[in-house]
């Protein structure tokens, strides 16, 4: 376990170093700071409260964890897709954003919901098959 922590820590430090090197190439850091600040506000004001509220509503034992995890993943997917989804109109160059991003986000969210439903169904089956102790 100790080796895994050191490897994960080293990988994290390497990725942070890569992020810092990319920031050095940015001419105007204002846009980056606004984006990072917006991500923090969106997480703290929208995503985290919704996940906690869902946890309070779904008090049944094995349901809370998978639903919270699905909400976190769905929130992260939505945050990543928002800049493209909110981009006004068409671009002058059609190859810049060539995909159907709203449809693809919907497909990803349906996949998250499907995996969550499968996990919950598998847990339910395992609970039914387990002999009472």
């Amino acid at each position: 376990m100790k080796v895994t922590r050191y490897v994960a820590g080293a990988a994290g430090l390497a990725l942070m170093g890569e992020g810092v090197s990319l920031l050095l190439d940015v001419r105007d850091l204002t846009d980056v700071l606004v984006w990072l600040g917006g991500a923090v506000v969106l997480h703290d004001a929208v995503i985290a409260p919704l996940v906690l509220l869902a946890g309070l509503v779904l008090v049944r034992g094995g349901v809370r964890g998978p639903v919270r995890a699905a909400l976190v993943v769905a929130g992260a997917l939505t945050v990543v897709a928002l800049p493209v989804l909110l981009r006004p109109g068409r671009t002058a160059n059609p190859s810049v954003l060539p995909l159907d991003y709203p449809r693809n986000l919907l497909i990803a969210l349906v996949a998250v919901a499907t995996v969550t439903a499968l996990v919950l169904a598998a847990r339910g089956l395992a609970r039914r098959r387990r002999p009472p102790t």
Side-chain angles (χ1 to χ4, degrees):
M1 184 68 169
K2 203 173 196 179
V3 173
T4 306
R5 286 185 183 181
Y6 285 126
V7 170
L13 287 173
L15 289 172
M16 286 192 296
E18 174 66 18
V20 168
S21 73
L22 291 173
L23 274 177
L24 295 176
D25 293 338
V26 175
R27 296 185 202 278
D28 183 19
L29 285 179
T30 308
D31 291 339
V32 175
L33 292 175
V34 167
W35 189 87
L36 288 173
V40 169
V41 169
L42 184 64
H43 174 271
D44 291 350
V46 178
I47 295 173
L50 285 176
V51 169
L52 292 173
L53 180 64
L56 288 174
V57 170
L58 303 167
V59 222
R60 287 184 29 204
V63 175
R64 186 186 306 191
V67 171
R68 278 186 173 177
L71 287 173
V72 168
V73 171
L77 284 170
T78 304
V79 167
V80 168
L82 273 180
V84 178
L85 294 174
L86 299 177
R87 183 180 204 107
R90 290 257 182 238
T91 60
N93 182 353
S95 67
V96 172
L97 297 172
L99 302 176
D100 185 0
Y101 291 97
R103 184 202 65 201
N104 292 344
L105 175 63
L106 183 62
I107 290 170
L109 292 176
V110 167
V112 168
T114 302
V115 168
T116 304
L118 290 172
V119 166
L120 292 174
R123 282 186 174 189
L125 285 174
R127 236 185 246 120
R128 274 193 231 136
R129 291 184 182 185
R130 191 176 310 143
T133 55

